[in-house]
């Protein structure tokens, strides 16, 4: 490996905004609320999949393709919104994205056929895909590198909490009232968009002037010779993560209410157990990334792979399934550090664009439901879900090949290392 510096790059703390501690905390609390609503909106495509399938008369492949449409929209949205945020006002872009996905989630109530479902999910993904990189670009400018992992873990708590409540709410409203969950996520998101616009201050343009003066779009700088291979590997790694998650978690409620023969309330409870573990894991892996470095968290992917295999092999005994699902939830969120880490790997004026690499992996995951549905049709859902274990293991290997940005002594952040 050789050290290679991208011109004008720095991942240090010199560009952290000079705001009062209380103001930073209040802004971060807004981001927590936005993350909760983002998680609610995003995961309706998985948690409500069996009900969408029954309501619209969809096949397994058609039901899975709703996620593909959402993922395709997220890919486009991440690329566009990340660059807009780096060139213009990150606050306005984030508010617009939240307003967009809140409104489109509400439109899900009116979906009446398969083409409408694909369109609604694509547009929903378009807005949601941009919210992650833009949110990251805001909070990494508010807090120092030595605590960004724990902040990312806290944001993961908001995301996971939304899925827990979504699963529990599904158990309360039952199969007949599942459309109500669109209202429960959409209306608060519209209110949150207004709060973000009025309560987060405009970010100084100095952070984006460098990108605005270059001839290329911000994304072009991520493919300069010095970091091109790193960028491609990072995108592949995130793609494998999405594929693995979709292969197992995406079919989870379908598997539990189908081959395992459990009712919707029990399936929702098992989802809640997984994401209860995810909440705890967010704190653990966020702390670990700040203590041992960003690459340390790759360990979580290998443990998650083993947990998936155990889950499929285990008998239908609820205490056992809860325990294994809890372990899976703890380990799967090891990637909480990816937002800050991706931002640290590239210059400050590219932070939103660099963080959008997280969603570039949807190029791979776009095919996940289609591939896993084909496997499930031919070999059964357990085989399709086991593909997630292999995908997570490959992602972990690629992660270990990437640069480290955090050195605990003095919290010195070196330039990116091209592998």
């Amino acid at each position: 490996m050789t050290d290679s510096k991208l011109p004008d790059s720095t991942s240090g703390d010199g560009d952290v905004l000079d705001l009062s501690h209380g103001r930073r905390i209040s802004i971060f609390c807004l981001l927590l609320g936005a993350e909760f609503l983002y998680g609610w909106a995003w995961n309706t495509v998985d948690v409500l999949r069996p009900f969408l399938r029954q309501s619209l008369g969809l096949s397994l492949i058609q039901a899975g393709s709703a996620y593909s449409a959402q993922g395709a929209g997220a890919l486009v949205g991440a690329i566009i919104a990340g660059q807009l945020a780096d060139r213009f006002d990150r606050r306005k872009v984030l508010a617009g994205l939240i307003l967009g996905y809140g409104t489109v989630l509400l439109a899900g109530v009116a979906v009446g056929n398969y083409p409408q479902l694909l369109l609604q999910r694509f547009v929903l993904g378009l807005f949601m895909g941009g919210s992650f990189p833009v949110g990251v670009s805001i909070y990494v400018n508010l807090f120092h590198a030595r605590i960004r992992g724990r902040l990312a873990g806290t944001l993961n708590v908001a995301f996971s909490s939304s899925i827990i409540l979504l699963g529990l709410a599904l158990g309360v409203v039952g199969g007949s009232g599942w459309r109500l969950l669109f209202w429960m996520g959409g209306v608060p998101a519209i209110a949150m968009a207004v709060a973000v616009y009025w309560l987060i201050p405009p970010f100084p343009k100095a952070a984006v002037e460098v990108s605005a003066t270059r001839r290329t779009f911000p994304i072009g700088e991520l493919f300069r010779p010095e970091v091109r291979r790193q960028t491609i590997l990072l995108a592949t790694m995130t793609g494998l993560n999405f594929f693995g998650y979709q292969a197992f978690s995406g079919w989870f409620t379908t598997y539990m209410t189908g081959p395992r023969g459990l009712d919707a309330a029990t399936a929702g409870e098992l989802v809640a157990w997984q994401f209860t573990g995810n909440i705890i894991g967010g704190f653990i892996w966020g702390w670990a990334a700040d203590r041992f470095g960003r690459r340390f968290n790759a360990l979580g992917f290998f443990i998650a792979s083993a947990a998936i295999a155990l889950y499929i092999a285990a008998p239908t005994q609820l205490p056992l399934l809860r325990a294994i699902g809890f372990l899976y939830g703890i380990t799967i969120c090891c990637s909480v550090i990816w937002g800050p880490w991706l931002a640290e790997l590239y210059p400050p004026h590219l932070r939103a664009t660099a963080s959008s690499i997280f969603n570039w992996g949807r190029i791979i995951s776009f095919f996940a439901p289609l591939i896993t549905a084909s496997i499930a049709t031919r070999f059964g859902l357990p085989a399709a879900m086991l593909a997630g274990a292999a995908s997570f293991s490959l992602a972990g290997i690629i992660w270990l090949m990437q640069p480290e940005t955090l050195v605990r002594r003095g919290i010195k952040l070196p330039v990116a290392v091209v592998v």
Side-chain angles (χ1 to χ4, degrees):
M1 296 190 298
T2 59
D3 292 341
S4 179
K5 184 177 181 181
L6 188 67
D8 303 321
S9 68
T10 175
S11 298
D13 294 329
D15 58 326
V16 173
L17 298 182
D18 186 15
L19 296 175
S20 68
H21 183 68
R23 190 66 182 276
R24 295 179 190 178
I25 294 298
S26 64
I27 293 173
F28 187 73
C29 287
L30 280 178
L31 295 178
L32 283 175
E35 184 73 8
F36 177 92
L37 295 170
Y38 162 80
W40 184 287
W42 182 271
N43 286 283
T44 54
V45 74
D46 290 331
V47 176
L48 301 182
R49 183 176 297 176
F51 308 103
L52 286 167
R53 182 186 173 203
Q54 182 181 18
S55 173
L56 302 177
L58 306 178
S59 67
L60 282 175
I61 293 178
Q62 287 176 322
S65 65
Y67 178 90
S68 297
Q70 184 170 293
L75 170 63
V76 176
I79 293 173
I80 294 175
Q83 295 186 83
L84 289 175
D86 277 337
R87 285 196 176 236
F88 303 107
D89 191 332
R90 291 169 178 169
R91 174 199 60 162
K92 290 181 179 178
V93 172
L94 181 61
L97 293 170
I98 297 172
L99 176 64
Y101 70 67
T103 303
V104 179
L105 182 63
L106 286 177
V109 176
V111 169
N113 55 52
Y114 179 54
Q116 290 177 8
L117 175 65
L118 293 182
L119 177 61
Q120 185 255 349
R121 284 293 157 177
F122 177 83
V123 178
L124 185 63
L126 196 67
F127 287 106
M128 290 191 295
S131 63
F132 174 81
V134 179
V136 169
S137 70
I138 290 176
Y139 79 78
V140 296
N141 276 94
L142 296 176
F143 299 94
H144 296 285
R146 62 182 177 271
I147 64 169
R148 288 174 188 161
R150 280 162 283 184
L151 292 175
T154 304
L155 283 165
N156 178 76
V157 169
F159 184 90
S160 300
S161 297
S162 71
I163 306 174
I164 291 175
L165 291 181
L166 183 60
L168 295 177
L170 174 61
V172 172
V173 302
S176 61
W178 58 273
R179 287 183 178 85
L180 180 62
L181 301 179
F182 291 144
W183 289 96
M184 293 172 65
V187 173
I190 294 173
M192 177 61 69
V194 177
V196 165
Y197 181 80
W198 287 109
L199 298 179
I200 294 181
F203 275 59
K205 293 184 178 180
V208 297
E209 283 178 353
V210 176
S211 183
T213 59
R214 296 187 184 274
R215 295 182 178 179
T216 61
F217 289 106
I219 195 173
E221 296 189 56
L222 271 56
F223 288 94
R224 300 180 70 180
E226 302 95 320
V227 292
R228 182 183 299 132
R229 187 165 183 260
Q230 170 185 295
T231 299
I232 293 172
L233 284 172
L234 290 171
T236 302
M237 178 188 70
T238 62
L240 290 169
N241 169 58
F242 285 125
F243 187 99
Y245 179 85
Q246 183 57 210
F248 181 74
S249 298
W251 292 108
F252 184 79
T253 53
T254 304
Y255 174 61
M256 286 297 157
T257 57
R260 290 278 184 164
L262 303 177
D263 57 33
T266 303
E269 178 199 349
L270 291 174
V271 170
W273 272 94
Q274 290 181 24
F275 285 94
T276 299
N278 201 274
I279 288 177
I280 297 173
F283 288 117
I284 293 174
W285 294 109
W287 171 83
D290 286 340
R291 178 65 181 86
F292 302 111
R294 310 317 195 195
R295 292 189 302 174
F296 176 85
N297 286 21
L299 175 64
F301 275 165
F302 299 110
I303 301 175
S305 296
I308 290 174
L310 285 174
Y311 210 109
I312 298 300
T316 307
Q317 297 177 2
L318 292 184
L320 181 59
L321 294 179
R322 290 179 188 129
I324 301 174
F326 185 73
L327 174 64
Y328 169 79
I330 287 178
T331 56
I332 199 63
C333 63
C334 61
S335 60
V336 294
I337 192 59
W338 280 3
W341 179 48
L342 291 170
E344 292 166 359
L345 284 169
Y346 298 89
H349 69 278
L350 295 175
R351 280 184 164 166
T353 305
S355 298
S356 74
I357 294 174
F358 178 82
N359 276 311
W360 294 7
R362 298 192 188 281
I363 296 176
I364 295 176
S365 70
F366 175 81
F367 300 100
L370 304 178
I371 293 173
T372 54
S374 297
I375 295 173
T377 301
R378 186 171 182 179
F379 302 104
L381 276 173
M385 297 170 77
L386 283 171
S391 188
F392 281 128
S393 294
L394 288 174
I397 292 171
I398 295 177
W399 193 347
L400 292 174
M401 297 168 57
Q402 301 312 301
E404 179 58 69
T405 59
L406 185 66
V407 177
R408 284 298 302 177
R409 293 182 180 180
I411 315 301
K412 180 182 178 181
L413 297 173
V415 297
V417 179
V418 181
V419 295

